[in-house]
Amino acid sequence: MENLIALLVGAPLLGAAVLLCGGRRLDKSGHWLGTLLAAVSFVIGLALFADMLGRSADDRAMYQRLYTWIPVEGFQADIAFQLDQLSMTFVLLISGVGTLIHVYSIGYMEHDERRRRFFGYLNLFVAAMLLLVLADNYLLLYFGWEGVGLASYLLIGFWQHKPSAATAAKKAFIVNRVGDMGLSIAIMIMFTTFGTFTFGPVLASTGEASQGTLTAIGLMLLLAACGKSAQVPLQSWLGDAMEGPTPVSALIHAATMVTAGVYLIVRSADIFNAAPDAQLVVTIVGAVTLLFGAIVGCAKDDIKKALAGSTMSQIGYMILAAGLGPIGYVFAIMHLVTHGFFKAGLFLGAGSVMHGMNDEVDMRKYGGLRKYMPVTFVTFGLGYLAIIGFPGLSGFFSKDKIIEAAFAKGGTEGWILGAVTLLGAAITAYYMTRVMLMTFFGEKRWENDPDGNPPHPHESPKSMTIPMILLAVGSVAAGAYFEFAGFVEWLEPVTGFAHGHSPLSAATVTAATVAVMVIGVGLAYLQYGRRPVPVVAPRGSLLTRAARRDLLQDDFNHAVFVTGGTHVTRSLVYVDHTLVDGVVNGTAAAVGGLSGRLRKLQNGYARTYAVSMFGGTAVLIAATLLMRAV
């Protein structure tokens, strides 16, 4: 079965190559080919999963080496794959949810003239992400990491005729390059320290490296994770990425790109376990981003941008859990998978709403859509209940485990992290209830599009609703399945697991989680369920205005990096012109002036030379006589 691992990447990669190079002859069938090859990858993943389940827990890892990529003396990089319980979890999520998004895109992109190219980019995205999670070394992982960055650039800017889409694509690409520098530096440090960048030898040799080296590697890996997973301080690209087609948002935010950072940290667990300072920074970044994204999500009227803030926040939960070490690694991945179901369903539901509302994204111009889009309403509603942690649904099980793990950290740090996760749960319930009420309940607030056409909300075609239904099933059942099917035991051989020492019982934490959820829902209902929603957003408080502008993250980046960089550049130009050029030009001027004066001594007249010789002789005679007299 190991020989099938390469086909997981090969199938969608083949689809990308054929669709992007095949020309217009594939315009009518390219979307079916792209969807089929994504499904082939999922079927192969299921076959490998079944084979893995038939093995003992300590013999489930599979390896496949294709060839030596870079053969240099003292440096060898292989194209080789490692499929264990952790990567298998990602394979099924990426290929499964990715295939559903392909199916959804058939209907969503039906009238787009460049649909074949779009599906080629989707296939490339899935192939790059599968390569990232299947690589058996950090260098090959980096290759997939950059492939994901390229595919995201192409997909976010797919509607490049819109200046906002082109700008968003460039922004995502540039911000991610900052994080990618962290991964490249980490790989360099690994090679100089361990002489290799293969997972097995590197992670087994952490005891031989100094604390400072491991901390440096951990911080650089975290920087990379911040870029891909949109964590503070590299989170500014995520909201703008909504300029891409809605299936792109679902793919990036649920099954692929933003989960890469979580995978990187959990895969490098041994490094972080041996570097407690780096591990602490991971929890801080997760905690800050958890609240940052939630607050931003509260103030957005654009339905996709509200969900983008939600993604940022939920990934913050996962990063925080990964920073807890063996207490939280398993639960970070558990929440990642459940989030893949309900967030993909929410984004596809948002796309379905837009499909029926002339591509309108402003929730203040929705209202009362539950009567016109019943399937979208139910599936979106189940995703909503899952993300807010409604008892029995998937988010309840996974998020509750992270909150328990935060308290189990122990000491003051445990109380702080536990309080942050509870506060995040309350805010999540608030902003998601706000989205639900503004979209599906209340009075109609519909407006004509710029061409004067009134919206005619209607249910989306089956190619869009069937994936939404399947994702809703996962939103309901995935958490309970993981809870009772032994997800901890499944991942423990790879990630490790440890019970913390929580000052609160599991029942107390669960009760507190449900209580804050109810409070969040209640506050949103009082504000948006019992009052008319104005079509024009009120000015709001200072915090609300800041949250609408993403808590001034772009303003900060512009002030510090753009304006600050401009001043630094101008200062360097001034120094270059006045000091460097001054020294160079001054030296040249001095030499030129001196040579001009000396040149007068060589004028070509014999009489001048005779006078000079006579004068020089007179001076020498006078000097000689003077010295004798003395």
Side-chain angles (χ1 to χ4, degrees):
M1 294 294 288
E2 286 86 349
N3 294 331
L4 296 177
I5 297 176
L7 295 179
L8 290 168
V9 181
L13 188 60
L14 174 63
V18 171
L19 292 175
L20 295 177
C21 301
R24 294 188 177 278
R25 71 193 72 175
L26 293 173
D27 282 353
K28 294 183 179 180
S29 60
H31 50 286
W32 294 111
L33 177 63
T35 304
L36 174 63
L37 289 173
V40 166
S41 184
F42 179 59
V43 172
I44 295 172
L46 289 176
L48 290 167
F49 178 60
D51 181 67
M52 187 176 286
L53 288 177
R55 305 185 181 198
S56 60
D58 56 354
D59 186 39
R60 284 177 170 163
M62 307 179 196
Y63 300 90
Q64 182 183 12
R65 178 183 174 277
L66 294 185
Y67 60 91
T68 299
W69 177 19
I70 307 176
V72 181
E73 185 177 357
F75 180 90
Q76 179 172 318
D78 294 333
I79 300 294
F81 304 114
Q82 170 180 309
L83 182 64
D84 55 19
Q85 293 93 314
L86 177 61
S87 50
M88 175 56 78
T89 302
F90 277 83
V91 163
L92 294 178
L93 175 67
I94 296 164
S95 60
V97 175
T99 298
L100 292 177
I101 293 172
H102 275 71
V103 174
Y104 178 93
S105 300
I106 293 174
Y108 191 86
M109 302 294 290
E110 181 179 4
H111 302 293
D112 196 292
E113 296 179 353
R114 301 167 65 234
R115 181 166 63 167
R116 169 184 54 82
R117 185 178 295 273
F118 180 78
F119 275 82
Y121 292 160
L122 286 184
N123 272 194
L124 179 62
F125 207 138
V126 171
M129 190 66 191
L130 287 171
L131 177 63
L132 190 159
V133 299
L134 287 169
D136 87 327
N137 62 81
Y138 283 97
L139 191 61
L140 187 57
L141 179 149
Y142 185 76
F143 190 80
W145 192 272
E146 292 301 314
V148 169
L150 170 62
S152 68
Y153 169 78
L154 295 172
L155 285 168
I156 294 170
F158 183 75
W159 286 328
Q160 55 197 244
H161 59 277
K162 298 167 54 180
S164 57
T167 301
K170 288 188 289 185
K171 183 176 182 180
F173 193 82
I174 292 170
V175 173
N176 272 272
R177 297 295 73 73
V178 176
D180 295 352
M181 286 297 297
L183 182 54
S184 62
I185 292 171
I187 294 172
M188 294 176 195
I189 298 174
M190 288 177 195
F191 188 77
T192 56
T193 304
F194 306 112
T196 181
F197 35 70
T198 303
F199 291 149
V202 168
L203 299 178
S205 303
T206 53
E208 302 172 8
S210 68
Q211 188 78 35
T213 299
L214 293 174
T215 299
I217 294 174
L219 292 177
M220 290 299 100
L221 292 176
L222 174 60
L223 178 62
C226 286
K228 277 289 182 288
S229 295
Q231 300 293 285
V232 171
L234 300 179
Q235 78 288 357
S236 62
W237 65 270
L238 195 66
D240 297 82
M242 298 302 98
E243 289 293 337
T246 298
V248 175
S249 303
L251 194 63
I252 289 177
H253 288 243
T256 55
M257 188 168 176
V258 294
T259 64
V262 182
Y263 171 80
L264 180 65
I265 293 176
V266 175
R267 174 60 75 188
S268 308
D270 290 334
I271 294 174
F272 286 95
N273 291 340
D277 291 339
Q279 204 170 53
L280 176 61
V281 178
V282 173
T283 60
I284 293 173
V285 168
V288 171
T289 310
L290 185 164
L291 296 178
F292 188 104
I295 293 171
V296 168
C298 290
K300 294 294 184 181
D301 293 328
D302 184 319
I303 187 171
K304 290 173 65 178
K305 290 191 175 184
L307 294 177
S310 168
T311 296
M312 194 186 305
S313 178
Q314 297 304 306
I315 299 293
Y317 269 103
M318 302 170 206
I319 294 292
L320 184 151
L324 297 175
I327 302 174
Y329 289 135
V330 173
F331 303 131
I333 302 302
M334 182 177 178
H335 192 54
L336 185 150
V337 177
T338 60
H339 176 264
F341 284 108
F342 57 69
K343 183 52 62 68
L346 288 169
F347 267 112
L348 297 188
S352 180
V353 170
M354 293 167 56
H355 182 77
M357 292 293 291
N358 295 339
D359 289 328
E360 178 62 66
V361 295
D362 190 345
M363 294 185 293
R364 293 186 179 277
K365 299 176 183 178
Y366 291 166
L369 293 179
R370 69 185 187 280
K371 300 176 183 178
Y372 303 89
M373 311 179 73
V375 176
T376 300
F377 167 64
V378 172
T379 55
F380 192 97
L382 290 173
Y384 151 73
L385 292 175
I387 194 174
I388 69 173
F390 190 83
L393 275 68
S394 60
F396 168 77
F397 291 99
S398 57
K399 190 186 295 184
D400 191 71
K401 292 295 183 183
I402 293 177
I403 297 173
E404 288 181 24
F407 280 107
K409 182 67 176 178
T412 304
E413 183 181 343
W415 282 105
I416 294 174
L417 294 177
V420 167
T421 54
L422 283 175
L423 178 59
I427 301 175
T428 300
Y430 172 82
Y431 69 71
M432 284 307 304
T433 303
R434 174 179 180 268
V435 170
M436 197 72 187
L437 293 173
M438 291 178 70
T439 302
F440 295 103
F441 293 88
E443 299 297 325
K444 302 175 185 178
R445 302 180 299 277
W446 310 344
E447 293 185 358
N448 296 345
D449 66 13
D451 296 327
N453 301 316
H456 297 285
H458 57 278
E459 194 55 85
S460 299
K462 290 184 178 180
S463 63
M464 295 172 64
T465 56
I466 290 176
M468 291 159 55
I469 292 170
L470 293 176
L471 290 169
V473 172
S475 300
V476 172
Y481 173 77
F482 292 148
E483 175 74 10
F484 300 111
F487 191 73
V488 172
E489 291 75 14
W490 165 257
L491 279 184
E492 185 176 1
V494 180
T495 63
F497 179 70
H499 292 282
H501 303 286
S502 175
L504 303 176
S505 66
T508 302
V509 173
T510 299
T513 304
V514 174
V516 298
M517 179 204 72
V518 172
I519 292 172
V521 171
L523 289 175
Y525 176 74
L526 290 175
Q527 187 170 357
Y528 295 95
R530 299 189 63 181
R531 304 176 187 173
V533 176
V535 176
V536 179
R539 189 164 184 268
S541 65
L542 180 62
L543 178 59
T544 299
R545 297 197 299 273
R548 287 175 185 155
R549 298 177 60 180
D550 299 331
L551 292 180
L552 308 181
Q553 55 183 319
D554 285 331
D555 301 80
F556 175 82
N557 291 340
H558 190 274
V560 174
F561 298 109
V562 178
T563 304
T566 301
H567 288 312
V568 170
T569 302
R570 288 175 178 172
S571 300
L572 292 175
V573 170
Y574 176 79
V575 170
D576 180 61
H577 286 172
T578 57
L579 181 61
V580 178
D581 288 353
V583 171
V584 174
N585 296 334
T587 303
V591 172
L594 180 61
S595 64
R597 288 172 175 78
L598 292 175
R599 187 169 60 247
K600 294 179 180 180
L601 300 176
Q602 300 288 331
N603 57 15
Y605 294 110
R607 62 179 179 272
T608 303
Y609 299 155
V611 172
S612 299
M613 294 170 63
F614 177 78
T617 302
V619 171
L620 289 174
I621 293 172
T624 301
L625 294 175
L626 181 61
M627 292 178 66
R628 286 184 176 181
V630 174

